[in-house]
Amino acid sequence: MATVWERSLLEIGSAERDFPAWRDMRADLDVNAIPGVKYSDSAGGFFYEESGKLQSVTRNRFIHWTSSGDTLQLIEQSLDTNLLNNAVRLKFLNCHVLPSGVHVHETHDRVTLLIATNQTVHRIIFPHPARMYRSELISEGHIQSIFTDIGKLNLRDPAHSFLIPGSHNHAANSAASATWLNSDGEALFALASASGGIMIIQLPEQDTAGSVALLELKQSSVMQRLLTGWMSTAIRGDQCPSDLPVSLAVQLLEHDTFIFALCQDHKLRLWSYKDQVCLMVADMLAFMPASKELRHTGSLGHKLRLAYSSSGFFLGVYLHCPKRGQFCVFQLVCCIESNRYSLDHISTLFSTQETLVDFALTPTDIWAVWQDEDNQTNVRYINFEHNHAGQWNQVFIQPVADEELHVPEDRDPKEIYLEYLFASGRFTPQALLKALQIYCRGADRILDPTMDGLKKEVTLAVENAIQNSVTEYEFSQEVYRQLQVEFWSKFYACCLQYQEALARPLALLVNVCTNMVCLLKKGFISFMFPCLTIDHLYMSSDEGLFLEDECSITDDPEIARDLLQLVQCLRLVGDSITMEMASLMETAVSHLQPPEKAAEQIMEHLLARDTETHMELQSKLQDIRNPGNIIQLLLREMDLEGDLESSNGPPLHIRMNMAQFYGSNVAINVVCQAAYHISMTRFLICRDLLVLQQLMLHVGDGVSLGAGGYLLQLQQELIPRTSLLVCTYFVMRWACQSLASAVPVDTLESNLRQLSVLELSDSNALTSQRAASSLRTVVELFYQQVARKHIISRLLSQDNSPLNHSLINWAQIGIVIANYLLQYLWANNTSFLFPEFLMGHCQYVQLQEYVRLLQPWCEVNVGSRRFVLGQCYLATGEGYKALECFRDGAAAVGREEFLDRLIRVEDEDAVSNPRVHYYNKVLRLLEDMGLPELVLQLTAIAVTEARDDWKILAMLWTKIFKHHLDLGHNHQAYESLTQNPDTSRQLDCLRQLVVVLCERYQLQDLVEFPYINLHDKVVGIIESRARAVDLMTHNYYELLYAFHIQRHNFRKAGTVMFEYGMRLGREVRSLQGLQKQVHCYLVGINCLRQIRPEYAWIVRPASGAMYERPGASPKRSHDGEYTAIQVCRQIDIVELKDLEKEYMLARTRLELVKHDPSSAAVAGNASAEEIVALLVQVGLFDTAISLCQTFKLSLTPIFEALAFKCIKLQFNGEATQAAAWDWLKTNQMPSVVATKESSATNEAWRLLSAYLDRYQLHSSQYHHCIINKLLSHGVPLPNWLVNNYKKMDMAGLLRLYLYYDLLEEAVDLVLEYIDALMGKGHQYFGIERPLSATAPLVWLPYTAIDQLLLALGENQSNINNARLREKLEIKLEDYHQQVEQATRDMSSYRRQ
C-alpha cells in the first residue's frame, strides 16, 4: 500500500446530496425579545463515549449542531448506518442561543441535551442508543435516531425549560456557558452573570418534585479565605465588570465540580462548586511577552478548552490580543498537603495574525481553525509538548469551487456548468436553491426542491433569462454561445457566493478515541482525511515541506532529498500549466490519444511562454543525482497494482456485527470523495511528470542531468509507464465523478433475468439489486453495494488489520479502505468487480464509457470487458455490436477470472472445452433476448470450436435447427438436422420440423426434402402424429399421402388414405367428416388404379391399440383393470373392389347425412345393413336399393319400409301428405302425373308398384313382404297388388289370408283359382292353359285349402262360414270331377 504521511491531512467535504428532512419544533416561553442582543453563529458536536469501540452500539456515531440567532439545528450521524429522523430544528422564540450554549451529556441509559439561551435554559432527554437496540442486531442499513420521539415532547413543560428571572439576567456581552450533570441526575448551567460573577442554575432531576435552584458565585465567597502565593492583590475588593467570564469550562474531579473561568481581565479563575469558593486565580499575562499595554484593557476573544487523560488534566488557553494571539497549555497540579491548586506551564505556541474561529485541545495536540482577510479557511494542528520548533502541521483545505470555469470550444456551456454545479460534493442543495431563488426573484416557482428538480429549474431559469435578453429573432451560433457563457457564469457566481457562506467554518470537533477530526461549517460538515506521502509532497508549499530525513518513503536521506527536488519540479510545472494547457491533456486522454503527445504540446507551450520557469527547472533537475531511479521510485509509489484475491472470511457473528461498518451515506461520501481527491491529485502528478519527462528529453544530453544514460530509459520505460498511470488515474477520476443513472424497476428485473441465464445473479458484484439514485456516483454506488463488503471482509481476515483492534483508528481505517477501493478501481488489477457491478446494476452508459477509455491501453481483462460491453449493447438494442463483442471475448476464455467464473471452470466439461461452454452461455443469453439471427451466427462459430465433441456438436446443431426453423428457414433447418450426430436429437428435430411445417401449412417443403436415411423415421413420425391428433384440425394423413405420392409409392398412399377414411368414419361423426371420408376412399381408389391389377391391394389398417386414446396405458383399460393379452390378428387384404364398395358405402352415408343431418352421429361408422335401414327411414329408397345391389343385400327391408310409408300416407292427414313430397322427389318416379287427383299417397303406391315391376324376382318374395306388411296393419290390399301376386304365388297369397284370418277372401281366392284351372279366367293366375288332357299339369294348394276348410268348420254357429264352406266344398267337388275326367281323357289319349 502507498505510504501515508502521518502528519498530513486532507479535508473531505460531506455535504448532503439532498435537503435534510428537518423536524421543526418551537419553544415559546412567552418572553419578550431583548433589543440589541445578537450572537455570532456557532457550532459544536458530541461523540458518544464508546464511539471508538468496534463492538459498541454507538460505534462511529456522533451528534453535531449549528446555532444561528433563535434557531438550533441538530443532526445525529453515524458512519455505519443511516439514521432515520435524525435532523431536528428547534426555534426559541424571542431568545438567542448562546454560541457555546449547547451541550450533550451521556449516561448509561440516556442522552441529555442542555441548551442555554440569553433568557432561558432547556433540558431535553433522549433514550440512549444502547437502550433502543442491541449492537449485534444492527444489520440493517437504516435505524432510528435518538431524536425519533422528540415530537412527543412539550418544550413549555417546566421539566424541559426554565426562564431565567429578571434579577439574575445573563451578561449580554458574554456568551460564556458551561453545563454538567451531577450524580443525582440534576442538570446544572454555569452562565456569565451581568454582575460579573458566575450564575449557576440547577434543574431538578426529571420526573421529580424538586424546584429550580439559583446560585451565583461572587467575590464575597473568595474573601472568606486568606489568599496567599502568587495570586494578584488587584482582585481583592469588590467584584468589577472587568472580571466578567468570557469562557467557561467545567470538569468533575473526585467528589467536586471545578469551574474554570477565563475572564476578560486576562485571569483564569478556578471555582469549587461544592464549597462555592475560588480555589485559584492565575494571571495569563504572565505568560505573554510584552503584555504591559494589555493589562488595563479587557478582551472578549479569549478561549478556554480542557483535556483529560491518564497522564493528567490539561488546560488550553487562547489569549486574543490585537494583531496577535497565542496558545498556552497548562497542567493542573494539586498540592495534597495544603489542598491548593496551581498551574504547571507546559507550552506556549504563537499563532498568525489570522482570526481564530475555534480550537480544540487533546492530551497531545492543539487543533485550530482560522480565517484570513480573504475569508480563506486554514486548519492546523501541533503537538504542544514535543514540537520545540513551533512548526504547525498543515491541513489541506479544499477550496469551495473554482472561481471561473473553462468552457472548451467543443463543449456546450450549459452542459459544462450543469455538470460542474451538480457534481458530487461540489455544491450543497441549499446553496443551489438559495441562488435559484435570488436568480428567479422568489421561491414560489421552486416546486420540486430536490437535486433532480433543481437541475430542471436551474436550466429553465437560465434559458428564460437568455431568451428575455434577446431582442432579435435570429442570431448566430457564436452570439448564442456568448450569451450562454454570460448568463451561466452569472448564475454560477451566485451559487459560488452562497456556497462560500455555507462553507464558513464555525467549530472543530475532535474525537480523541478515534483521532477523527471534523470541521463544522455553517451548512455542512467536513472530515480530515489522512494524506498519502506523495500527495502531501505535491500539495505542500516549499516552506511547508519537512526535512529530507522526515520523508517516509525511503530511509536514504540522499534519495529523499532527490525525491523532494523532483516533487518541487513537478509543482513548478503544475503551477505553470494554464487551464488551456490542462485541457489539452484532458482532451487527449478522453479522445483516446497518446498522453505523451499532449505532454509534448504542453511542454512546447511552456517553453514558448515562460523561459524563467524553464531555466529554474533545468537548475533543479541538475541537482538530482539519478533522475531515472527517482522517477521509478515515484511511479512505483503511485502504482496500485496488487493482488486482490478474496480470502476466507471471519466467523458469522463477526460478519453480522461488521455488516454495516462504514456503510452509511456519510461514510460512503467521505471514502469516495477521498478516492476522488487521491485520483485527481495523482492524475495531476502524473501529468506534470509526463510533461517534465518530455522536457528532459527536449533538453537531452546538452545539459548534464545527474547520471548519464537515462534518456533511453525515459523513452523506453519511464514515459510509457507514466502515460499508463495518466490514463489509469484519469479513468478513476472520471468514475468518481460520473453520476449513476436511475434505473426503472422493469429494466432491473430484465437485467436480473439475463444474469440468471448467465448464472451470475449470485455473483459477489451483484449482492444488491436496487434502483440507483441519480444523486450518487457510480463509485459511491459500487462502494455501497459491493466493494465495502469485500474490503471489510478482507481487512477482518488480515492479522495486522486496523479492524483487529478493539478501538477504531479513523486515520488508519479510512486510508486503508480508500486505498482498497482505489485498487478495485485500478484497471490493471485482475479484479473485475467494478465493471461487473456496472453491468449488474444497469449502468450501461457509464460502462460503455469505461470500456472505451480503457480500450487503447489496458491489457488486463480485455475479454471480460468485451463481454460486458456486449451486455450493454444487448440492453440498448444493438445486437450485432453485442455479437462482435462476445466473439472478441472468447479469445480470453481460460485466462481471465471473470470469464472462468462465467463458464464454471470447476465443471469437467467446461475444463475440457471452455470456449465452447462460453459460447453456450452467450447463446443462452441471446436466446433469452430473442435474437435468433445472432444465435445462428454465433453457433456457427461454436461448431468450428467443438471439433470432435459429438455431445456439444449435437447441442449446437440442435440450436441451429431450432432457430432456422423459428425464422422460417426451412431448408437450412433440414440441413442442420441432417448434420446432427446424435440420433435421438436428430429424431426430436425431425419431429419438430414435421409439426411446425404442418402448423405453418408449408407442406411443399416438407414433402420435397430428400430425407436421406431418414425416410422411415419421417413416415413413422407423421403416422404417429396423424394417429395422435385431432383429424379435423391437422392434416397429417394428407401430408403422408403427398409424401408417398411424391415418391410414387401409390400403394402406401392408398393405405394412408384408406386408414384416414376409416378413422374419419369412427371418430368424426359429421357432414364434414363424411365428405372427407368419401374423398379419402376416392383418392385411395385412384391410387390402386395406378398399380397393376395383381398388385392393386392394400392391408387393412389394424384397429385397436394404435387408435386408442393418446397416452393410454397398453396394459390397463380405462377403469384400471388389466386387459387381456392381445393375440396376433389375421391380416385383412383390401382389394380394389373392396375399396370401391367402401367408397360406395361412404358416399351413401354422405347422401344420407345431407338429407338428414341428425343421422350423422350414427351413420359415420354404420354397416351397409344399418345404412339401408337409415336410408329407408328418410325415404331414400333409390339410394338404398343401389347400396343393396352393391353389397348384394336383400331388398325386402326396402319394400317393407316403402309399404309402411304408403300405409302412413293413406291414413294420416294433409301435413304428412305435404312432407311426403320431400322424400318422394328424391327417388326416381316411373312417370309424371300432373292431374288434380294425384296425391302423395298415390305417388307412393305408384313408386312401390314401380319397384316391384323393376326389381321383381322369379319368386314372389317382395310381394309377399309387402302384402304381409299391409295385412299386419289391417290395410286392404290394392287390387293391382293382389292381381300381381295371384299370378306369381297364389298359394302364398292364400297362406297370408289364412294367417291373418281372412277366410272370406281366402274362399274367394280359392274359388277364383279353381275356376281359372277349369278354364274360367286362367290368365289372371298366370296359367297358360286350363285343366285338360292335353294341357300341362296343374295343382291345388291342398294343405292350405284343408286349413281353410278346417277354419271354416270350427265355428258351426257362423252361418256365413258354413255357407262359404259349403260353397268351397261344392267347387272342389266340381274340380275333382273335372280332374277325373281330364285324367281319363289323358289316359285314353296316351293309350291311343
Side-chain angles (χ1 to χ4, degrees):
M1 192 185 77
T3 309
V4 180
W5 192 281
E6 296 179 354
R7 293 185 298 272
S8 181
L9 296 172
L10 172 70
E11 181 195 15
I12 300 295
S14 179
E16 291 289 337
R17 304 296 172 80
D18 215 336
F19 294 93
W22 293 110
R23 305 177 67 199
D24 293 306
M25 293 191 66
R26 294 161 62 92
D28 186 2
L29 300 186
D30 297 329
V31 298
N32 297 322
I34 300 176
V37 176
K38 186 176 182 181
Y39 298 112
S40 62
D41 297 342
S42 65
F46 164 78
F47 286 97
Y48 288 94
E49 184 177 349
E50 295 186 349
S51 63
K53 295 183 179 180
L54 274 176
Q55 305 303 322
S56 173
V57 70
T58 56
R59 180 186 67 199
N60 292 325
R61 193 160 170 174
F62 60 96
I63 301 172
H64 64 91
W65 59 83
T66 58
S67 64
S68 178
D70 62 351
T71 303
L72 173 64
Q73 296 178 344
L74 298 108
I75 298 178
E76 185 182 16
Q77 298 280 22
S78 171
L79 298 181
D80 295 343
T81 59
N82 296 319
L83 301 179
L84 302 175
N85 304 311
N86 66 325
V88 178
R89 183 158 52 196
L90 303 177
K91 188 175 184 65
F92 303 92
L93 295 182
N94 298 327
C95 298
H96 293 268
V97 180
L98 299 182
S100 59
V102 183
H103 306 268
V104 177
H105 301 276
E106 177 185 6
T107 60
H108 69 283
D109 62 342
R110 62 179 60 176
V111 176
T112 304
L113 173 65
L114 301 179
I115 306 168
T117 72
N118 64 328
Q119 299 188 74
T120 59
V121 293
H122 304 267
R123 173 180 58 190
I124 303 176
I125 297 178
F126 304 102
H128 195 278
R131 296 290 181 179
M132 299 175 65
Y133 32 69
R134 297 167 54 191
S135 62
E136 60 268 21
L137 298 179
I138 302 178
S139 59
E140 297 295 329
H142 296 79
I143 61 176
Q144 295 292 337
S145 166
I146 64 171
F147 298 151
T148 297
D149 296 330
I150 193 174
K152 301 177 182 179
L153 302 178
N154 181 12
L155 297 184
R156 294 177 59 93
D157 193 323
H160 301 301
S161 304
F162 175 71
L163 176 62
I164 302 175
S167 58
H168 298 81
N169 279 343
H170 177 266
N173 56 346
S174 176
S177 68
T179 64
W180 73 95
L181 298 178
N182 61 18
S183 58
D184 297 329
E186 298 172 331
L188 296 100
F189 295 81
L191 306 175
S193 174
S195 61
I198 301 176
M199 177 175 54
I200 306 297
I201 302 175
Q202 179 178 327
L203 301 182
E205 186 180 4
Q206 194 176 26
D207 301 330
T208 60
S211 59
V212 177
L214 294 170
L215 172 68
E216 187 170 3
L217 299 179
K218 296 182 179 179
Q219 182 65 24
S220 59
S221 63
V222 182
M223 294 301 297
Q224 294 174 2
R225 290 177 174 233
L226 178 62
L227 300 178
T228 59
W230 48 265
M231 188 178 297
S232 172
T233 59
I235 67 167
R236 299 181 184 181
D238 295 336
Q239 183 82 337
C240 62
S242 62
D243 299 335
L244 179 68
V246 295
S247 185
L248 291 173
V250 173
Q251 181 66 38
L252 278 66
L253 293 176
E254 298 178 354
H255 301 291
D256 197 359
T257 300
F258 289 169
I259 302 175
F260 295 86
L262 184 59
C263 304
Q264 65 176 345
D265 61 356
H266 318 296
K267 292 182 173 59
L268 176 66
R269 292 175 172 83
L270 173 62
W271 294 82
S272 170
Y273 174 73
K274 178 181 179 182
D275 300 329
Q276 299 181 14
V277 296
C278 182
L279 301 180
M280 181 193 70
V281 178
D283 188 2
M284 294 294 100
L285 294 181
F287 304 97
M288 178 177 287
S291 60
K292 293 182 180 180
E293 68 278 6
L294 301 176
R295 189 168 297 277
H296 303 290
T297 60
S299 175
L300 297 175
H302 299 330
K303 299 181 184 297
L304 173 64
R305 301 290 184 267
L306 305 181
Y308 183 80
S309 70
S310 57
S311 60
F313 182 73
F314 299 94
L315 292 85
V317 177
Y318 174 74
L319 300 176
H320 173 71
C321 301
K323 298 183 180 181
R324 58 175 173 158
Q326 71 177 47
F327 296 90
C328 294
V329 182
F330 304 95
Q331 187 171 7
L332 184 65
V333 179
C334 175
C335 180
I336 300 177
E337 298 176 355
S338 60
N339 195 24
R340 292 185 178 180
Y341 291 87
S342 62
L343 295 178
D344 183 8
H345 179 258
I346 295 178
S347 177
T348 296
L349 303 168
F350 297 96
S351 64
T352 62
Q353 297 181 7
E354 300 171 343
T355 302
L356 179 71
V357 176
D358 188 29
F359 84 98
L361 180 68
T362 72
T364 57
D365 298 314
I366 292 178
W367 288 82
V369 54
W370 289 271
Q371 263 195 320
D372 58 18
E373 296 178 353
D374 299 329
N375 291 328
Q376 298 297 318
T377 302
N378 292 307
V379 178
R380 303 184 186 92
Y381 70 101
I382 190 171
N383 186 298
F384 56 76
E385 191 170 5
H386 302 293
N387 196 328
H388 302 290
Q391 180 68 46
W392 289 78
N393 296 294
Q394 178 71 38
V395 176
F396 298 106
I397 301 298
Q398 295 298 324
V400 174
D402 297 335
E403 293 186 1
E404 295 181 0
L405 293 186
H406 173 67
V407 182
E409 292 295 331
D410 58 340
R411 296 288 301 277
D412 183 15
K414 179 179 71 174
E415 180 183 348
I416 293 292
Y417 277 95
L418 285 176
E419 182 180 313
Y420 192 86
L421 286 170
F422 290 90
S424 175
R426 189 151 291 159
F427 286 88
T428 63
Q430 294 87 343
L432 294 172
L433 179 60
K434 189 65 176 177
L436 183 58
Q437 289 172 340
I438 298 301
Y439 199 80
C440 296
R441 298 294 188 271
D444 295 338
R445 298 174 58 188
I446 313 302
L447 302 178
D448 184 15
T450 63
M451 291 301 281
D452 289 335
L454 279 177
K455 194 170 187 179
K456 297 176 182 177
E457 292 287 348
V458 166
T459 304
L460 182 61
V462 178
E463 292 293 337
N464 288 339
I466 295 175
Q467 294 179 8
N468 293 335
S469 67
V470 176
T471 58
E472 299 178 0
Y473 289 102
E474 295 183 1
F475 46 86
S476 64
Q477 185 68 28
E478 290 77 11
V479 173
Y480 179 69
R481 179 182 177 84
Q482 292 175 2
L483 289 173
Q484 279 188 307
V485 173
E486 177 185 352
F487 281 90
W488 277 106
S489 62
K490 287 180 180 179
F491 179 78
Y492 176 78
C494 192
C495 294
L496 188 60
Q497 177 183 354
Y498 287 106
Q499 183 67 18
E500 289 176 349
L502 293 176
R504 181 165 61 89
L506 299 180
L508 279 170
L509 182 60
V510 180
N511 189 345
V512 178
C513 298
T514 63
N515 295 326
M516 177 185 288
V517 181
C518 303
L519 180 59
L520 303 178
K521 301 184 178 183
K522 183 175 177 59
F524 55 94
I525 182 174
S526 61
F527 296 81
M528 305 304 152
F529 202 81
C531 190
L532 300 173
T533 300
I534 294 299
D535 301 28
H536 166 80
L537 296 177
Y538 181 78
M539 291 187 294
S540 298
S541 59
D542 291 343
E543 59 273 12
L545 288 175
F546 297 98
L547 300 177
E548 300 83 32
D549 57 354
E550 294 182 290
C551 183
S552 59
I553 294 181
T554 176
D555 296 330
D556 190 341
E558 294 296 329
I559 296 179
R561 185 192 63 81
D562 288 347
L563 179 61
L564 291 177
Q565 195 75 10
L566 177 63
V567 172
Q568 288 179 353
C569 294
L570 295 179
R571 193 166 54 252
L572 187 60
V573 171
D575 294 340
S576 302
I577 293 178
T578 62
M579 288 192 298
E580 289 78 8
M581 297 180 189
S583 65
L584 290 176
M585 182 64 72
E586 303 269 350
T587 304
V589 180
S590 177
H591 292 176
L592 309 183
Q593 298 172 359
E596 51 269 26
K597 298 295 183 182
E600 185 177 358
Q601 295 179 12
I602 296 174
M603 181 267 297
E604 292 174 354
H605 286 299
L606 287 177
L607 294 179
R609 66 184 292 272
D610 196 346
T611 307
E612 294 182 1
T613 301
H614 180 205
M615 299 303 296
E616 186 176 357
L617 284 173
Q618 286 191 16
S619 175
K620 290 183 177 294
L621 288 173
Q622 289 178 355
D623 293 337
I624 302 176
R625 296 179 305 160
N626 194 330
N629 291 344
I630 299 301
I631 293 176
Q632 279 186 332
L633 174 64
L634 184 62
L635 295 177
R636 187 168 59 251
E637 187 69 16
M638 292 189 294
D639 195 340
L640 299 181
E641 185 173 348
D643 184 18
L644 288 175
E645 293 296 329
S646 59
S647 55
N648 295 330
L652 178 61
H653 70 279
I654 298 180
R655 280 188 180 275
M656 289 182 63
N657 182 264
M658 300 297 294
Q660 298 300 326
F661 188 81
Y662 277 23
S664 70
N665 290 340
V666 176
I668 293 170
N669 190 12
V670 171
V671 172
C672 296
Q673 282 293 312
Y676 164 71
H677 286 293
I678 293 173
S679 59
M680 180 185 67
T681 304
R682 294 293 179 86
F683 171 75
L684 297 178
I685 294 174
C686 296
R687 180 202 65 185
D688 297 343
L689 179 60
L690 196 58
V691 174
L692 184 63
Q693 290 172 338
Q694 292 291 347
L695 178 62
M696 295 169 70
L697 283 179
H698 176 75
V699 172
D701 295 330
V703 179
S704 176
L705 299 178
Y710 70 92
L711 294 180
L712 184 61
Q713 184 185 16
L714 274 178
Q715 290 179 327
Q716 296 183 352
E717 178 184 357
L718 299 182
I719 289 181
R721 285 185 61 189
T722 308
S723 177
L724 184 64
L725 290 182
V726 168
C727 296
T728 304
Y729 279 111
F730 178 86
V731 172
M732 293 169 66
R733 188 190 69 172
W734 165 84
C736 291
Q737 288 180 303
S738 180
L739 292 177
S741 302
V743 183
V745 176
D746 56 345
T747 304
L748 281 177
E749 293 176 351
S750 174
N751 183 64
L752 185 60
R753 186 182 69 253
Q754 296 175 30
L755 296 176
S756 299
V757 171
L758 295 174
E759 300 180 10
L760 287 176
S761 56
D762 57 347
S763 170
N764 291 332
L766 307 171
T767 55
S768 178
Q769 276 284 344
R770 303 170 187 167
S773 170
S774 60
L775 301 178
R776 291 203 171 277
T777 65
V778 290
V779 171
E780 289 173 341
L781 206 61
F782 170 63
Y783 171 78
Q784 176 188 14
Q785 300 190 9
V786 177
R788 183 184 61 83
K789 295 180 181 179
H790 284 267
I791 294 171
I792 299 303
S793 178
R794 186 175 180 83
L795 289 176
L796 290 174
S797 65
Q798 298 175 356
D799 296 334
N800 59 345
S801 167
L803 292 183
N804 287 332
H805 305 290
S806 59
L807 294 179
I808 299 172
N809 188 308
W810 158 258
Q812 295 180 5
I813 295 177
I815 195 62
V816 168
I817 291 178
N819 188 75
Y820 274 131
L821 176 60
L822 289 173
Q823 287 190 30
Y824 280 117
L825 297 176
W826 192 260
N828 281 317
N829 275 334
T830 56
S831 172
F832 200 66
L833 275 182
F834 182 61
E836 187 179 356
F837 157 81
L838 294 177
M839 175 191 70
H841 290 74
C842 306
Q843 302 297 311
Y844 299 126
V845 176
Q846 294 82 349
L847 181 54
Q848 290 185 56
E849 179 66 10
Y850 176 80
V851 174
R852 186 189 72 85
L853 292 174
L854 267 58
Q855 182 266 328
W857 53 269
C858 183
E859 299 179 356
V860 179
N861 290 322
V862 177
S864 300
R865 290 200 307 273
R866 294 295 291 172
F867 178 85
V868 296
L869 182 60
Q871 274 282 81
C872 292
Y873 286 138
L874 278 184
T876 56
E878 300 176 274
Y880 286 96
K881 290 183 179 180
L883 179 63
E884 183 179 355
C885 293
F886 292 142
R887 292 174 55 184
D888 296 342
V893 173
R895 302 198 305 267
E896 297 179 7
E897 183 270 339
F898 171 76
L899 296 179
D900 292 344
R901 181 158 41 87
L902 179 69
I903 63 173
R904 308 288 183 182
V905 293
E906 62 269 14
D907 296 341
E908 294 182 1
D909 294 339
V911 173
S912 63
N913 204 336
R915 189 171 296 184
V916 175
H917 283 267
Y918 164 81
Y919 284 131
N920 188 30
K921 279 292 182 69
V922 177
L923 288 172
R924 290 172 57 188
L925 177 63
L926 296 176
E927 287 175 333
D928 183 73
M929 295 292 293
L931 300 171
E933 298 91 346
L934 305 184
V935 173
L936 290 173
Q937 294 186 31
L938 191 62
T939 311
I941 300 173
V943 167
T944 61
E945 295 283 347
R947 295 184 294 275
D948 299 330
D949 193 333
W950 69 272
K951 291 184 178 179
I952 296 178
L953 283 173
M955 179 268 295
L956 294 175
W957 281 114
T958 302
K959 286 184 181 291
I960 294 176
F961 163 80
K962 174 185 179 298
H963 292 288
H964 272 310
L965 188 60
D966 292 342
L967 292 172
H969 304 161
N970 300 337
H971 291 277
Q972 292 87 336
Y974 172 77
E975 293 295 332
S976 60
L977 178 152
T978 59
Q979 296 292 330
N980 201 317
D982 188 347
T983 55
S984 63
R985 286 180 179 265
Q986 189 180 57
L987 185 59
D988 293 339
C989 294
L990 187 60
R991 186 178 295 108
Q992 188 176 2
L993 178 68
V994 172
V995 172
V996 172
L997 292 187
C998 285
E999 291 176 350
R1000 295 176 183 169
Y1001 300 99
Q1002 297 176 337
L1003 305 181
Q1004 186 70 27
D1005 291 342
L1006 186 59
V1007 170
E1008 291 180 351
F1009 289 142
Y1011 299 111
I1012 301 174
N1013 299 325
L1014 296 173
H1015 182 276
D1016 294 339
K1017 294 180 180 179
V1018 174
V1019 173
I1021 290 171
I1022 300 177
E1023 285 181 348
S1024 62
R1025 293 293 298 178
R1027 292 165 181 168
V1029 299
D1030 185 15
L1031 294 175
M1032 300 305 293
T1033 57
H1034 299 81
N1035 55 356
Y1036 288 105
Y1037 280 107
E1038 296 177 7
L1039 169 65
L1040 192 58
Y1041 164 78
F1043 183 87
H1044 290 309
I1045 291 295
Q1046 177 75 15
R1047 288 152 182 81
H1048 304 287
N1049 192 341
F1050 298 108
R1051 179 186 293 172
K1052 283 284 188 179
T1055 303
V1056 169
M1057 298 311 291
F1058 182 61
E1059 178 181 332
Y1060 189 18
M1062 289 176 59
R1063 287 194 60 197
L1064 286 169
R1066 279 193 299 267
E1067 301 176 19
V1068 185
R1069 307 295 178 87
S1070 66
L1071 175 63
Q1072 185 180 4
L1074 289 172
Q1075 290 174 337
K1076 285 197 171 190
Q1077 187 182 39
V1078 170
H1079 172 74
C1080 291
Y1081 288 155
L1082 184 60
V1083 171
I1085 292 172
N1086 290 334
C1087 290
L1088 293 184
R1089 286 177 177 172
Q1090 306 301 319
I1091 310 172
R1092 287 186 296 177
E1094 60 268 27
Y1095 297 109
W1097 55 267
I1098 59 176
V1099 177
R1100 182 183 298 274
S1103 61
M1106 69 173 60
Y1107 300 120
E1108 294 292 339
R1109 295 171 291 107
S1113 172
K1115 298 181 180 180
R1116 297 177 184 269
S1117 62
H1118 64 278
D1119 56 358
E1121 298 296 331
Y1122 280 98
T1123 57
I1125 300 176
Q1126 296 187 6
V1127 299
C1128 295
R1129 295 182 175 87
Q1130 185 177 2
I1131 297 177
D1132 187 7
I1133 301 299
V1134 178
E1135 297 181 352
L1136 179 59
K1137 60 182 180 179
D1138 300 324
L1139 187 55
E1140 289 174 343
K1141 292 171 64 177
E1142 290 291 339
Y1143 165 71
M1144 179 63 185
L1145 179 60
R1147 193 176 65 179
T1148 304
R1149 293 178 185 136
L1150 176 61
E1151 187 175 351
L1152 170 64
V1153 173
K1154 285 182 178 180
H1155 187 77
D1156 182 16
S1158 62
S1159 62
V1162 295
N1165 199 33
S1167 63
E1169 293 82 356
E1170 295 169 336
I1171 292 298
V1172 169
L1174 295 174
L1175 288 171
V1176 297
Q1177 285 181 9
V1178 297
L1180 298 177
F1181 297 101
D1182 284 354
T1183 306
I1185 291 172
S1186 176
L1187 182 63
C1188 289
Q1189 290 175 341
T1190 302
F1191 283 88
K1192 296 181 172 55
L1193 301 177
S1194 172
L1195 300 181
T1196 300
I1198 300 174
F1199 284 98
E1200 288 181 348
L1202 182 55
F1204 181 71
K1205 284 188 176 292
C1206 292
I1207 295 171
K1208 290 176 63 178
L1209 289 173
Q1210 188 167 339
F1211 293 100
N1212 290 341
E1214 295 183 0
T1216 306
Q1217 293 280 335
W1221 287 108
D1222 293 334
W1223 61 265
L1224 283 171
K1225 64 185 180 182
T1226 60
N1227 300 285
Q1228 186 175 1
M1229 302 297 291
S1231 61
V1232 179
V1233 180
T1235 63
K1236 292 183 179 181
E1237 291 77 7
S1238 176
S1239 65
T1241 304
N1242 295 336
E1243 292 299 320
W1245 286 111
R1246 291 181 64 249
L1247 180 63
L1248 180 60
S1249 176
Y1251 282 164
L1252 286 173
D1253 295 340
R1254 190 182 307 163
Y1255 303 111
Q1256 63 181 351
L1257 300 175
H1258 298 291
S1259 64
S1260 58
Q1261 175 184 356
Y1262 300 143
H1263 290 76
H1264 181 273
C1265 71
I1266 294 171
I1267 293 174
N1268 182 55
K1269 176 65 69 174
L1270 295 174
L1271 294 178
S1272 66
H1273 288 80
V1275 178
L1277 298 179
N1279 292 331
W1280 63 267
L1281 181 61
V1282 173
N1283 295 332
N1284 287 340
Y1285 195 22
K1286 287 191 301 183
K1287 291 181 179 181
M1288 301 181 68
D1289 187 7
M1290 172 271 173
L1293 180 60
L1294 177 61
R1295 285 192 290 271
L1296 287 174
Y1297 282 157
L1298 290 175
Y1299 182 79
Y1300 288 103
D1301 203 20
L1302 299 175
L1303 300 180
E1304 186 175 354
E1305 288 81 357
V1307 171
D1308 293 339
L1309 178 62
V1310 172
L1311 294 175
E1312 187 178 355
Y1313 184 65
I1314 295 174
D1315 290 340
L1317 289 176
M1318 291 187 297
K1320 185 181 178 180
H1322 60 87
Q1323 66 273 11
Y1324 296 114
F1325 287 91
I1327 301 174
E1328 295 180 359
R1329 297 172 59 186
L1331 179 64
S1332 66
T1334 58
L1337 297 177
V1338 294
W1339 61 277
L1340 276 179
Y1342 287 105
T1343 302
I1345 294 173
D1346 290 341
Q1347 291 175 353
L1348 176 61
L1349 291 173
L1350 180 63
L1352 292 172
E1354 288 178 352
N1355 190 355
Q1356 298 294 332
S1357 60
N1358 193 326
I1359 299 175
N1360 187 43
N1361 288 351
R1363 185 179 57 78
L1364 292 174
R1365 177 182 176 86
E1366 182 182 359
K1367 187 177 181 179
L1368 179 60
E1369 288 177 346
I1370 295 172
K1371 181 61 70 175
L1372 285 173
E1373 185 177 354
D1374 294 341
Y1375 174 72
H1376 289 153
Q1377 292 176 359
Q1378 190 172 349
V1379 168
E1380 290 176 356
Q1381 182 63 40
T1383 302
R1384 287 192 297 270
D1385 293 343
M1386 184 178 64
S1387 298
S1388 63
Y1389 178 76
R1390 288 181 177 177
R1391 285 194 295 268
Q1392 292 177 2

